[in-house]
Coordinates of all heavy atoms in Angstrom, one line a residue:
M83 N 18.3 -66.1 10.2 CA 17.3 -65.2 10.5 C 17.8 -63.8 10.9 O 17.1 -62.8 10.5 CB 16.5 -65.7 11.7 CG 15.2 -66.3 11.5 SD 13.9 -65.4 11.0 CE 12.7 -66.6 11.1
A84 N 18.9 -63.7 11.6 CA 19.4 -62.5 12.0 C 19.8 -61.6 10.8 O 19.6 -60.4 10.8 CB 20.6 -62.7 12.9
A85 N 20.3 -62.2 9.8 CA 20.7 -61.4 8.6 C 19.5 -60.8 7.9 O 19.5 -59.7 7.4 CB 21.5 -62.3 7.6
E86 N 18.4 -61.7 7.9 CA 17.2 -61.2 7.3 C 16.6 -60.1 8.1 O 16.1 -59.1 7.5 CB 16.2 -62.4 7.2 CG 15.0 -62.1 6.4 CD 14.1 -63.3 6.3 OE1 14.6 -64.4 5.9 OE2 12.9 -63.2 6.6
E87 N 16.6 -60.1 9.4 CA 16.1 -59.1 10.2 C 16.9 -57.8 10.1 O 16.4 -56.7 10.0 CB 16.1 -59.5 11.7 CG 15.1 -60.5 12.1 CD 15.2 -61.0 13.5 OE1 16.0 -60.5 14.3 OE2 14.4 -61.9 13.9
V88 N 18.2 -57.9 9.9 CA 19.1 -56.8 9.7 C 18.7 -56.1 8.3 O 18.6 -54.9 8.2 CB 20.6 -57.2 9.7 CG1 21.5 -56.0 9.2 CG2 21.0 -57.6 11.1
L89 N 18.5 -57.0 7.3 CA 18.1 -56.4 6.0 C 16.8 -55.7 6.1 O 16.6 -54.7 5.5 CB 18.1 -57.5 5.0 CG 19.4 -58.0 4.5 CD1 19.3 -59.2 3.5 CD2 20.2 -56.9 3.8
Q90 N 15.8 -56.3 6.8 CA 14.5 -55.7 7.0 C 14.6 -54.3 7.7 O 14.0 -53.4 7.4 CB 13.5 -56.6 7.7 CG 13.0 -57.7 6.9 CD 12.1 -58.6 7.7 OE1 12.0 -58.6 8.9 NE2 11.4 -59.5 6.9
G91 N 15.4 -54.4 8.8 CA 15.7 -53.1 9.5 C 16.3 -52.1 8.7 O 16.0 -50.9 8.7
A92 N 17.3 -52.5 7.8 CA 18.0 -51.6 7.0 C 17.0 -51.0 5.9 O 17.0 -49.8 5.6 CB 19.2 -52.2 6.3
D93 N 16.1 -51.9 5.4 CA 15.1 -51.4 4.4 C 14.2 -50.4 5.1 O 13.8 -49.4 4.5 CB 14.4 -52.6 3.8 CG 15.2 -53.4 2.8 OD1 16.2 -52.8 2.3 OD2 14.8 -54.5 2.5
H94 N 13.8 -50.8 6.3 CA 12.9 -49.9 7.1 C 13.5 -48.5 7.2 O 12.9 -47.5 7.0 CB 12.5 -50.5 8.4 CG 11.8 -49.5 9.3 ND1 10.5 -49.2 9.1 CD2 12.2 -48.8 10.4 CE1 10.1 -48.3 10.0 NE2 11.1 -48.1 10.8
Y95 N 14.8 -48.5 7.7 CA 15.5 -47.2 7.9 C 15.7 -46.5 6.5 O 15.5 -45.2 6.5 CB 16.8 -47.4 8.6 CG 16.6 -47.8 10.0 CD1 17.2 -48.9 10.6 CD2 15.9 -46.9 10.9 CE1 17.0 -49.3 11.9 CE2 15.8 -47.3 12.2 CZ 16.3 -48.4 12.7 OH 16.2 -48.7 14.0
K96 N 16.0 -47.2 5.5 CA 16.1 -46.6 4.2 C 14.8 -46.0 3.7 O 14.8 -44.8 3.2 CB 16.6 -47.6 3.1 CG 16.9 -47.1 1.8 CD 17.4 -48.2 0.8 CE 17.6 -47.6 -0.6 NZ 18.0 -48.6 -1.5
S97 N 13.7 -46.6 3.9 CA 12.4 -46.1 3.6 C 12.1 -44.9 4.4 O 11.5 -43.9 3.9 CB 11.3 -47.2 3.8 OG 11.4 -48.2 2.9
E98 N 12.4 -45.0 5.7 CA 12.1 -43.8 6.6 C 13.0 -42.6 6.2 O 12.5 -41.5 6.2 CB 12.4 -44.3 8.0 CG 12.1 -43.2 9.1 CD 10.6 -43.0 9.2 OE1 9.8 -43.7 8.6 OE2 10.2 -42.0 9.8
I99 N 14.2 -42.8 5.8 CA 15.1 -41.8 5.4 C 14.5 -41.1 4.1 O 14.5 -39.9 3.9 CB 16.5 -42.2 5.2 CG1 17.2 -42.5 6.5 CG2 17.4 -41.2 4.4 CD1 18.5 -43.2 6.5
E100 N 14.1 -42.0 3.2 CA 13.5 -41.4 1.9 C 12.2 -40.6 2.2 O 12.0 -39.6 1.6 CB 13.2 -42.6 1.0 CG 14.4 -43.2 0.4 CD 14.1 -44.5 -0.4 OE1 12.9 -44.9 -0.5 OE2 15.1 -45.1 -1.0
R101 N 11.4 -41.1 3.1 CA 10.2 -40.4 3.5 C 10.5 -39.0 4.1 O 9.9 -38.0 3.7 CB 9.3 -41.2 4.4 CG 8.0 -40.6 4.8 CD 7.3 -41.4 5.9 NE 7.9 -41.3 7.2 CZ 7.9 -40.3 8.0 NH1 7.2 -39.2 7.7 NH2 8.5 -40.4 9.2
L102 N 11.4 -39.1 5.0 CA 11.8 -37.8 5.7 C 12.5 -36.8 4.7 O 12.3 -35.6 4.8 CB 12.8 -38.1 6.9 CG 12.1 -38.9 8.1 CD1 13.2 -39.3 9.1 CD2 11.1 -38.0 8.7
T103 N 13.3 -37.4 3.8 CA 13.9 -36.5 2.8 C 12.8 -35.9 1.9 O 12.9 -34.7 1.6 CB 14.9 -37.4 1.9 OG1 15.9 -37.9 2.7 CG2 15.5 -36.5 0.9
R104 N 11.8 -36.6 1.5 CA 10.7 -36.0 0.7 C 10.0 -35.0 1.5 O 9.7 -33.9 1.0 CB 9.7 -37.1 0.3 CG 10.1 -37.9 -0.9 CD 9.0 -38.8 -1.4 NE 8.3 -39.6 -0.4 CZ 8.7 -40.8 -0.1 NH1 9.8 -41.4 -0.6 NH2 8.1 -41.5 0.9
E105 N 9.7 -35.3 2.8 CA 8.9 -34.3 3.6 C 9.8 -33.0 3.8 O 9.2 -31.9 3.8 CB 8.6 -34.9 5.0 CG 7.5 -35.9 4.9 CD 7.1 -36.4 6.3 OE1 7.5 -35.8 7.3 OE2 6.4 -37.5 6.4
L106 N 11.1 -33.2 4.0 CA 12.0 -32.1 4.2 C 12.0 -31.2 2.9 O 11.9 -30.0 2.9 CB 13.4 -32.5 4.5 CG 14.4 -31.4 4.7 CD1 14.0 -30.5 5.8 CD2 15.8 -32.0 5.0
S107 N 12.0 -31.9 1.8 CA 12.0 -31.2 0.5 C 10.7 -30.4 0.3 O 10.7 -29.2 -0.1 CB 12.2 -32.2 -0.7 OG 12.2 -31.5 -1.9
E108 N 9.6 -31.1 0.6 CA 8.3 -30.4 0.5 C 8.2 -29.2 1.4 O 7.7 -28.1 1.0 CB 7.2 -31.4 0.8 CG 7.0 -32.4 -0.3 CD 6.0 -33.5 0.1 OE1 5.3 -33.4 1.1 OE2 5.9 -34.5 -0.6
T109 N 8.6 -29.4 2.7 CA 8.6 -28.3 3.6 C 9.5 -27.2 3.2 O 9.1 -26.0 3.3 CB 9.0 -28.8 5.0 OG1 8.1 -29.9 5.4 CG2 8.9 -27.8 6.1
T110 N 10.6 -27.5 2.7 CA 11.6 -26.4 2.3 C 10.9 -25.7 1.1 O 11.0 -24.4 1.1 CB 12.9 -27.1 1.8 OG1 13.5 -27.8 3.0 CG2 13.9 -26.0 1.4
H111 N 10.3 -26.4 0.2 CA 9.7 -25.8 -1.0 C 8.5 -24.8 -0.5 O 8.4 -23.7 -1.0 CB 9.1 -26.8 -1.9 CG 8.4 -26.3 -3.1 ND1 9.1 -25.6 -4.1 CD2 7.1 -26.3 -3.4 CE1 8.2 -25.2 -5.0 NE2 7.0 -25.6 -4.6
E112 N 7.7 -25.3 0.5 CA 6.6 -24.5 1.0 C 7.2 -23.2 1.7 O 6.6 -22.1 1.6 CB 5.8 -25.3 2.0 CG 5.0 -26.4 1.3 CD 4.3 -27.3 2.3 OE1 4.5 -27.2 3.5 OE2 3.6 -28.2 1.8
K113 N 8.3 -23.4 2.4 CA 8.9 -22.2 3.1 C 9.4 -21.2 2.1 O 9.2 -20.0 2.3 CB 10.0 -22.6 4.0 CG 9.5 -23.3 5.3 CD 10.6 -23.6 6.3 CE 10.0 -24.1 7.6 NZ 11.1 -24.3 8.6
I114 N 10.0 -21.7 1.0 CA 10.5 -20.8 -0.1 C 9.3 -20.1 -0.7 O 9.4 -18.9 -0.9 CB 11.3 -21.6 -1.1 CG1 12.6 -22.0 -0.5 CG2 11.5 -20.8 -2.4 CD1 13.4 -23.0 -1.3
Q115 N 8.2 -20.8 -1.0 CA 7.0 -20.2 -1.5 C 6.5 -19.1 -0.6 O 6.1 -18.0 -1.0 CB 5.9 -21.2 -1.8 CG 6.2 -22.0 -3.1 CD 5.1 -23.0 -3.4 OE1 4.5 -23.6 -2.4 NE2 4.7 -23.1 -4.6
A116 N 6.4 -19.4 0.7 CA 5.9 -18.4 1.7 C 6.8 -17.2 1.7 O 6.3 -16.1 1.8 CB 5.8 -19.1 3.1
A117 N 8.1 -17.4 1.7 CA 9.0 -16.3 1.7 C 8.9 -15.4 0.4 O 8.9 -14.2 0.5 CB 10.5 -16.8 1.8
E118 N 8.7 -16.1 -0.7 CA 8.5 -15.3 -2.0 C 7.2 -14.5 -1.9 O 7.1 -13.4 -2.3 CB 8.5 -16.3 -3.2 CG 9.8 -16.8 -3.5 CD 9.8 -18.0 -4.6 OE1 8.7 -18.5 -4.8 OE2 10.8 -18.3 -5.1
Y119 N 6.1 -15.1 -1.4 CA 4.9 -14.4 -1.2 C 5.0 -13.3 -0.3 O 4.5 -12.2 -0.5 CB 3.8 -15.4 -0.7 CG 2.5 -14.7 -0.4 CD1 1.6 -14.4 -1.5 CD2 2.1 -14.5 0.9 CE1 0.4 -13.7 -1.2 CE2 0.8 -13.8 1.1 CZ 0.0 -13.5 0.1 OH -1.2 -12.9 0.3
G120 N 5.8 -13.5 0.8 CA 6.0 -12.4 1.8 C 6.7 -11.2 1.1 O 6.4 -10.1 1.4
L121 N 7.7 -11.5 0.2 CA 8.4 -10.5 -0.5 C 7.5 -9.7 -1.4 O 7.5 -8.5 -1.5 CB 9.6 -11.0 -1.3 CG 10.8 -11.5 -0.5 CD1 11.8 -12.2 -1.4 CD2 11.4 -10.3 0.3
V122 N 6.6 -10.4 -2.1 CA 5.6 -9.8 -3.0 C 4.7 -8.8 -2.1 O 4.4 -7.7 -2.5 CB 4.7 -10.8 -3.7 CG1 3.6 -10.2 -4.4 CG2 5.6 -11.6 -4.7
V123 N 4.3 -9.3 -1.0 CA 3.4 -8.5 -0.1 C 4.1 -7.3 0.3 O 3.6 -6.2 0.3 CB 2.9 -9.3 1.1 CG1 2.2 -8.4 2.1 CG2 1.9 -10.4 0.6
L124 N 5.4 -7.4 0.7 CA 6.2 -6.2 1.1 C 6.4 -5.2 0.0 O 6.3 -4.0 0.2 CB 7.6 -6.7 1.6 CG 7.6 -7.3 3.0 CD1 9.0 -7.8 3.4 CD2 7.2 -6.3 4.1
E125 N 6.6 -5.7 -1.2 CA 6.8 -4.8 -2.4 C 5.5 -4.1 -2.6 O 5.5 -2.9 -2.9 CB 7.2 -5.6 -3.6 CG 8.6 -6.1 -3.6 CD 9.0 -7.0 -4.7 OE1 8.1 -7.3 -5.6 OE2 10.1 -7.5 -4.8
E126 N 4.4 -4.8 -2.5 CA 3.1 -4.2 -2.7 C 2.8 -3.1 -1.6 O 2.3 -2.1 -1.9 CB 2.0 -5.3 -2.7 CG 0.7 -4.9 -3.3 CD -0.3 -6.0 -3.5 OE1 0.1 -7.1 -4.0 OE2 -1.4 -5.9 -3.0
K127 N 3.2 -3.5 -0.4 CA 3.0 -2.5 0.7 C 3.8 -1.2 0.4 O 3.3 -0.1 0.6 CB 3.4 -3.1 2.0 CG 3.3 -2.2 3.2 CD 3.8 -2.8 4.5 CE 3.8 -1.8 5.6 NZ 4.5 -2.2 6.7
L128 N 5.0 -1.4 0.0 CA 5.9 -0.2 -0.3 C 5.3 0.6 -1.5 O 5.3 1.8 -1.4 CB 7.3 -0.7 -0.7 CG 8.1 -1.2 0.5 CD1 9.5 -1.8 -0.1 CD2 8.4 -0.1 1.5
T129 N 4.8 -0.1 -2.5 CA 4.1 0.6 -3.6 C 2.9 1.4 -3.1 O 2.7 2.6 -3.5 CB 3.7 -0.4 -4.7 OG1 4.9 -1.0 -5.2 CG2 3.0 0.3 -5.9
L130 N 2.1 0.8 -2.3 CA 0.9 1.4 -1.8 C 1.3 2.6 -0.9 O 0.6 3.7 -0.9 CB 0.0 0.4 -1.0 CG -0.7 -0.6 -1.9 CD1 -1.4 -1.7 -1.0 CD2 -1.7 0.0 -2.8
K131 N 2.3 2.4 -0.1 CA 2.7 3.5 0.8 C 3.2 4.7 0.0 O 2.9 5.9 0.3 CB 3.9 3.0 1.7 CG 4.5 4.1 2.5 CD 3.7 4.6 3.7 CE 4.4 5.5 4.6 NZ 3.9 6.8 4.8
Q132 N 3.9 4.4 -1.1 CA 4.4 5.5 -2.0 C 3.2 6.2 -2.6 O 3.2 7.4 -2.7 CB 5.3 4.9 -3.1 CG 5.9 6.0 -4.0 CD 6.9 5.4 -5.0 OE1 7.1 4.2 -5.0 NE2 7.4 6.3 -5.8
Q133 N 2.2 5.4 -3.1 CA 1.0 6.0 -3.7 C 0.3 6.9 -2.7 O -0.2 8.0 -3.0 CB 0.1 5.0 -4.3 CG 0.7 4.3 -5.5 CD -0.2 3.1 -6.0 OE1 -1.1 2.6 -5.2 NE2 0.1 2.6 -7.2
Y134 N 0.2 6.4 -1.5 CA -0.5 7.1 -0.4 C 0.2 8.4 -0.1 O -0.4 9.5 0.0 CB -0.5 6.3 0.9 CG -1.1 7.0 2.1 CD1 -2.4 7.1 2.3 CD2 -0.2 7.6 3.0 CE1 -3.0 7.8 3.3 CE2 -0.7 8.3 4.1 CZ -2.1 8.4 4.2 OH -2.6 9.1 5.3
D135 N 1.5 8.4 -0.1 CA 2.3 9.6 0.2 C 2.1 10.6 -0.9 O 1.9 11.8 -0.7 CB 3.8 9.3 0.4 CG 4.1 8.6 1.7 OD1 3.2 8.6 2.6 OD2 5.2 8.0 1.8
E136 N 2.1 10.1 -2.2 CA 1.9 11.0 -3.3 C 0.5 11.6 -3.3 O 0.3 12.8 -3.5 CB 2.1 10.3 -4.6 CG 3.5 9.9 -4.9 CD 3.7 8.9 -6.0 OE1 2.7 8.5 -6.7 OE2 4.8 8.5 -6.3
L137 N -0.5 10.8 -3.0 CA -1.9 11.3 -2.9 C -2.1 12.3 -1.8 O -2.8 13.3 -1.9 CB -2.9 10.1 -2.7 CG -3.1 9.3 -4.0 CD1 -3.9 8.1 -3.6 CD2 -3.7 10.1 -5.1
E138 N -1.4 12.0 -0.6 CA -1.5 12.9 0.5 C -0.9 14.3 0.2 O -1.4 15.3 0.5 CB -0.8 12.3 1.7 CG -1.0 13.1 3.0 CD -0.4 12.4 4.2 OE1 0.7 11.8 4.1 OE2 -1.1 12.4 5.2
A139 N 0.3 14.3 -0.6 CA 0.9 15.5 -1.0 C 0.0 16.3 -2.0 O -0.1 17.5 -1.9 CB 2.3 15.2 -1.6
E140 N -0.6 15.5 -2.9 CA -1.5 16.2 -3.8 C -2.7 16.7 -3.1 O -3.2 17.9 -3.4 CB -2.0 15.1 -4.9 CG -2.8 15.7 -6.0 CD -3.2 14.7 -7.0 OE1 -2.7 13.5 -7.0 OE2 -4.1 15.0 -7.9
Y141 N -3.2 16.0 -2.1 CA -4.4 16.5 -1.3 C -4.0 17.8 -0.6 O -4.8 18.8 -0.6 CB -4.8 15.4 -0.3 CG -5.8 15.9 0.7 CD1 -7.1 16.1 0.4 CD2 -5.3 16.3 2.0 CE1 -8.0 16.6 1.3 CE2 -6.2 16.7 2.9 CZ -7.6 16.9 2.6 OH -8.4 17.4 3.5
D142 N -2.8 17.8 0.0 CA -2.4 19.0 0.7 C -2.3 20.2 -0.2 O -2.7 21.3 0.1 CB -1.1 18.8 1.4 CG -1.2 17.8 2.6 OD1 -2.3 17.7 3.1 OD2 -0.2 17.2 3.1
G143 N -1.7 19.9 -1.4 CA -1.6 21.0 -2.4 C -3.0 21.5 -2.9 O -3.2 22.7 -3.0
L144 N -3.9 20.6 -3.1 CA -5.2 21.0 -3.5 C -6.0 21.7 -2.4 O -6.7 22.7 -2.7 CB -6.0 19.8 -4.0 CG -5.6 19.1 -5.3 CD1 -6.3 17.8 -5.5 CD2 -5.8 20.1 -6.5
K145 N -5.7 21.3 -1.2 CA -6.4 22.0 -0.1 C -5.9 23.4 0.1 O -6.7 24.3 0.3 CB -6.1 21.2 1.2 CG -6.8 21.7 2.5 CD -6.5 20.8 3.6 CE -7.1 21.3 4.9 NZ -6.7 20.4 6.1
Q146 N -4.6 23.6 -0.1 CA -4.0 24.9 -0.1 C -4.5 25.8 -1.2 O -4.9 26.9 -1.0 CB -2.5 24.8 -0.1 CG -1.8 26.2 0.0 CD -0.3 26.0 0.0 OE1 0.3 25.0 -0.3 NE2 0.4 27.1 0.4
E147 N -4.6 25.2 -2.4 CA -5.2 25.9 -3.6 C -6.6 26.3 -3.3 O -7.0 27.4 -3.7 CB -5.1 25.0 -4.8 CG -5.5 25.7 -6.1 CD -5.3 24.8 -7.3 OE1 -4.5 23.8 -7.3 OE2 -6.0 25.1 -8.3
L148 N -7.4 25.4 -2.7 CA -8.8 25.7 -2.4 C -8.9 26.9 -1.5 O -9.7 27.8 -1.6 CB -9.5 24.5 -1.8 CG -10.9 24.7 -1.4 CD1 -11.8 25.1 -2.6 CD2 -11.5 23.4 -0.7
E149 N -8.1 26.9 -0.4 CA -8.1 28.0 0.5 C -7.7 29.3 -0.2 O -8.3 30.4 0.0 CB -7.1 27.8 1.6 CG -7.5 26.7 2.6 CD -8.9 27.0 3.2 OE1 -9.1 28.1 3.7 OE2 -9.7 26.1 3.3
Q150 N -6.8 29.3 -1.1 CA -6.4 30.5 -1.9 C -7.6 30.9 -2.8 O -7.8 32.2 -2.9 CB -5.2 30.2 -2.7 CG -3.9 30.1 -1.9 CD -2.7 29.6 -2.8 OE1 -2.9 29.2 -3.9 NE2 -1.5 29.6 -2.2
L151 N -8.2 30.0 -3.4 CA -9.4 30.3 -4.2 C -10.5 30.9 -3.4 O -11.2 31.8 -3.9 CB -9.9 29.1 -5.0 CG -9.0 28.6 -6.1 CD1 -9.4 27.3 -6.7 CD2 -8.9 29.7 -7.2
K152 N -10.7 30.4 -2.2 CA -11.7 31.0 -1.3 C -11.4 32.4 -1.0 O -12.3 33.3 -1.0 CB -11.8 30.2 0.0 CG -12.6 28.9 -0.2 CD -12.6 28.1 1.1 CE -13.4 26.8 1.0 NZ -13.4 26.1 2.3
E153 N -10.1 32.7 -0.7 CA -9.7 34.1 -0.4 C -9.9 35.0 -1.6 O -10.4 36.1 -1.5 CB -8.2 34.1 0.0 CG -7.9 33.5 1.3 CD -6.4 33.4 1.7 OE1 -5.6 34.0 1.0 OE2 -6.1 32.7 2.6
V154 N -9.6 34.5 -2.8 CA -9.8 35.3 -4.0 C -11.3 35.5 -4.2 O -11.7 36.6 -4.6 CB -9.2 34.5 -5.3 CG1 -9.6 35.2 -6.6 CG2 -7.6 34.5 -5.2
N155 N -12.1 34.5 -4.0 CA -13.5 34.7 -4.1 C -14.0 35.7 -3.2 O -14.9 36.6 -3.6 CB -14.2 33.3 -3.9 CG -15.7 33.4 -4.2 OD1 -16.1 34.0 -5.2 ND2 -16.5 32.7 -3.4
E156 N -13.6 35.7 -2.0 CA -14.0 36.7 -1.0 C -13.6 38.1 -1.4 O -14.3 39.0 -1.3 CB -13.4 36.3 0.4 CG -13.7 37.3 1.5 CD -15.2 37.4 1.9 OE1 -15.9 36.4 1.7 OE2 -15.6 38.5 2.3
L157 N -12.3 38.2 -1.9 CA -11.9 39.5 -2.4 C -12.7 40.0 -3.6 O -13.1 41.2 -3.7 CB -10.4 39.4 -2.8 CG -9.4 39.3 -1.7 CD1 -8.0 39.0 -2.2 CD2 -9.4 40.5 -0.7
C158 N -13.1 39.1 -4.5 CA -13.9 39.5 -5.6 C -15.3 39.9 -5.1 O -15.8 40.9 -5.7 CB -14.1 38.3 -6.6 SG -12.6 38.0 -7.5
Y159 N -15.8 39.2 -4.2 CA -17.1 39.6 -3.6 C -17.0 41.0 -3.0 O -17.9 41.9 -3.2 CB -17.6 38.6 -2.5 CG -18.8 39.0 -1.8 CD1 -20.1 38.8 -2.5 CD2 -18.8 39.6 -0.6 CE1 -21.2 39.2 -1.8 CE2 -20.0 39.9 0.1 CZ -21.2 39.7 -0.6 OH -22.3 40.1 0.1
R160 N -16.0 41.3 -2.2 CA -15.8 42.6 -1.6 C -15.6 43.7 -2.7 O -16.1 44.8 -2.6 CB -14.6 42.6 -0.7 CG -14.9 41.8 0.6 CD -13.7 41.8 1.5 NE -13.9 41.0 2.7 CZ -13.0 40.8 3.6 NH1 -11.8 41.3 3.5 NH2 -13.3 40.1 4.7
L161 N -14.8 43.3 -3.7 CA -14.5 44.3 -4.8 C -15.8 44.6 -5.5 O -16.1 45.8 -5.8 CB -13.5 43.7 -5.8 CG -13.1 44.6 -6.9 CD1 -12.5 45.9 -6.4 CD2 -12.1 43.9 -7.8
G162 N -16.7 43.6 -5.7 CA -18.0 43.8 -6.4 C -18.8 44.7 -5.5 O -19.5 45.6 -6.0
S163 N -18.8 44.5 -4.2 CA -19.6 45.3 -3.3 C -19.1 46.8 -3.4 O -19.9 47.7 -3.4 CB -19.5 44.8 -1.9 OG -20.2 45.6 -1.0
V164 N -17.8 47.0 -3.3 CA -17.2 48.3 -3.4 C -17.5 48.9 -4.7 O -17.9 50.1 -4.8 CB -15.7 48.2 -3.2 CG1 -15.0 49.6 -3.5 CG2 -15.4 47.8 -1.7
S165 N -17.5 48.2 -5.8 CA -17.7 48.7 -7.1 C -19.2 49.2 -7.2 O -19.5 50.2 -7.8 CB -17.5 47.6 -8.2 OG -17.8 48.0 -9.5
R166 N -20.1 48.4 -6.7 CA -21.5 48.9 -6.7 C -21.7 50.1 -5.9 O -22.5 51.0 -6.3 CB -22.4 47.7 -6.1 CG -22.7 46.6 -7.1 CD -23.7 45.7 -6.7 NE -23.3 44.9 -5.5 CZ -22.5 43.8 -5.5 NH1 -22.0 43.4 -6.6 NH2 -22.2 43.2 -4.4
R167 N -21.0 50.3 -4.8 CA -21.1 51.5 -4.0 C -20.6 52.7 -4.8 O -21.1 53.8 -4.8 CB -20.3 51.3 -2.7 CG -21.0 50.5 -1.7 CD -20.2 50.5 -0.3 NE -20.5 49.3 0.4 CZ -19.7 48.8 1.3 NH1 -18.6 49.5 1.6 NH2 -19.9 47.7 1.9
V168 N -19.4 52.5 -5.4 CA -18.8 53.5 -6.2 C -19.8 53.9 -7.3 O -20.0 55.1 -7.6 CB -17.5 53.1 -6.8 CG1 -17.0 54.1 -7.9 CG2 -16.5 53.0 -5.7
E169 N -20.4 53.0 -8.0 CA -21.4 53.3 -9.1 C -22.6 54.1 -8.5 O -23.0 55.0 -9.1 CB -21.9 52.0 -9.7 CG -20.9 51.3 -10.6 CD -21.5 50.0 -11.1 OE1 -22.6 49.6 -10.8 OE2 -20.7 49.3 -11.9
N170 N -23.1 53.7 -7.3 CA -24.2 54.4 -6.7 C -23.8 55.8 -6.4 O -24.6 56.7 -6.6 CB -24.6 53.7 -5.5 CG -25.4 52.4 -5.8 OD1 -25.9 52.2 -6.9 ND2 -25.4 51.5 -4.8
I171 N -22.6 56.0 -5.9 CA -22.1 57.4 -5.6 C -22.0 58.2 -6.9 O -22.4 59.4 -6.9 CB -20.8 57.3 -4.8 CG1 -20.9 56.7 -3.5 CG2 -20.1 58.7 -4.8 CD1 -19.7 56.4 -2.7
I172 N -21.4 57.6 -7.9 CA -21.2 58.3 -9.2 C -22.6 58.7 -9.8 O -22.8 59.8 -10.2 CB -20.4 57.5 -10.2 CG1 -19.0 57.4 -9.7 CG2 -20.5 58.1 -11.6 CD1 -18.1 56.5 -10.5
F173 N -23.5 57.8 -9.8 CA -24.8 58.0 -10.4 C -25.7 59.0 -9.5 O -26.6 59.6 -10.0 CB -25.6 56.7 -10.7 CG -25.0 56.0 -11.8 CD1 -24.6 54.6 -11.6 CD2 -24.8 56.5 -13.0 CE1 -24.1 53.9 -12.7 CE2 -24.2 55.8 -14.1 CZ -23.9 54.5 -13.9
S174 N -25.4 59.1 -8.3 CA -26.1 60.0 -7.4 C -25.7 61.4 -7.5 O -26.3 62.3 -7.0 CB -26.1 59.5 -6.0 OG -24.8 59.7 -5.5
I175 N -24.5 61.6 -8.1 CA -23.9 63.0 -8.2 C -24.6 63.7 -9.4 O -25.1 63.4 -10.3 CB -22.4 63.0 -8.4 CG1 -21.8 62.3 -7.2 CG2 -21.9 64.3 -8.6 CD1 -20.3 62.2 -7.3

C-alpha cells in the first residue's frame, strides 16, 4: 500500500507541476501581450505628441500671419482715407 500511496502522491505532484507550468506559461504570455500593447500605446502617444507640436507651431505661425494681415488691412484703410482726403483737396482747388 505504501508504494501505491507514493505513486499517487507522485502523480498528484506531477499533475500539480504540469498545471502550474501551464498557468505560468499563460501568465507569461499575457504579460508579454500587455507589454507589447503598452509599447504600441507609447508609440501612439509619441506620434500624437509630435503631431500636436507640429500643429501648435503651425497655429503660432498662422496667428502671427493673421496679426500681420490685420496690420496691413489697417494701413490700407488709413491709406484709403488719406487718398480720399487728397482727392477732395485736389478737386476743391
Side-chain angles (χ1 to χ4, degrees):
M83 254 296 183
E86 191 175 306
E87 288 176 4
V88 169
L89 287 176
Q90 285 179 348
D93 285 341
H94 170 74
Y95 288 124
K96 184 178 178 183
S97 296
E98 186 65 12
I99 289 171
E100 289 172 357
R101 182 186 70 79
L102 291 172
T103 301
R104 278 192 310 273
E105 286 183 18
L106 179 61
S107 178
E108 289 172 11
T109 302
T110 301
H111 179 71
E112 289 170 359
K113 285 185 177 185
I114 289 170
Q115 283 182 321
E118 289 171 346
Y119 177 74
L121 288 174
V122 169
V123 169
L124 284 175
E125 288 174 0
E126 200 171 305
K127 179 185 174 189
L128 289 173
T129 300
L130 289 172
K131 173 72 170 123
Q132 183 179 359
Q133 289 174 348
Y134 174 83
D135 290 343
E136 290 169 1
L137 288 172
E138 189 173 38
E140 184 178 353
Y141 169 79
D142 290 340
L144 290 172
K145 187 176 177 183
Q146 185 177 12
E147 186 178 339
L148 178 62
E149 289 302 316
Q150 291 171 349
L151 289 172
K152 285 180 180 180
E153 289 174 14
V154 168
N155 187 41
E156 178 65 27
L157 291 173
C158 287
Y159 175 77
R160 288 181 183 175
L161 182 60
S163 178
V164 168
S165 177
R166 281 189 296 280
R167 284 187 208 157
V168 169
E169 285 176 2
N170 288 339
I171 292 171
I172 291 174
F173 289 126
S174 69
I175 299 179

